[in-house]
Amino acid sequence: MNAVTPELKRNAVLLKLMGNPERLAIMALLQESERSIDELADILALQPTAVSKHLTRLRAEGLVDYTRYHRVLQYRLVSQQASAVLDTLLAFGAKPQKSAAKE
């Protein structure tokens, strides 16, 4: 019997995705509310293309999804597993802050 179950593999993928600080911050912000790429880029002081790449990866793994409002895509966190992990991390003070460069 293989001790590495599909669930453990999925959890490893989740942790690997959350191991990137920019993706972790994006997921934490999306847990709070729906946001556009431009909003996320502004808050995190990242290029919109970088945010878009992170969101594409998170969407491919089923962690985020979006709703289209005319031309704007509003992303949201949809993974209950990711939300539970974020709740634990946020309890230890791991909350993203607005970039000082953008204020």
Side-chain angles (χ1 to χ4, degrees):
M1 181 163 101
N2 189 351
V4 180
T5 64
E7 292 80 12
L8 286 174
K9 288 180 183 179
R10 176 75 181 128
N11 289 340
V13 169
L14 173 63
L15 292 174
K16 184 175 180 179
L17 289 169
M18 295 181 90
N20 178 289
E22 292 170 351
R23 279 194 297 267
L24 184 61
I26 288 168
M27 286 188 278
L29 290 167
L30 294 179
Q31 185 180 35
E32 292 175 357
S33 65
E34 283 189 347
R35 298 179 193 268
S36 70
I37 290 173
D38 289 336
E39 287 174 295
L40 292 167
D42 185 50
I43 293 168
L44 299 171
L46 295 172
Q47 292 295 318
T49 54
V51 173
S52 179
K53 287 179 184 179
H54 286 304
L55 288 168
T56 297
R57 182 130 186 238
L58 294 171
R59 189 163 182 263
E61 294 296 333
L63 302 180
V64 302
D65 204 358
Y66 66 84
T67 301
R68 179 181 297 274
Y69 298 99
H70 303 285
R71 291 185 163 172
V72 177
L73 302 179
Q74 290 289 111
Y75 285 85
R76 65 189 175 283
L77 187 69
V78 295
S79 168
Q80 291 180 349
Q81 279 183 308
S83 185
V85 172
L86 282 167
D87 287 342
T88 301
L89 292 173
L90 295 174
F92 289 100
K95 185 172 181 161
Q97 295 180 350
K98 241 186 184 181
S99 170
K102 293 285 185 177
E103 291 183 346

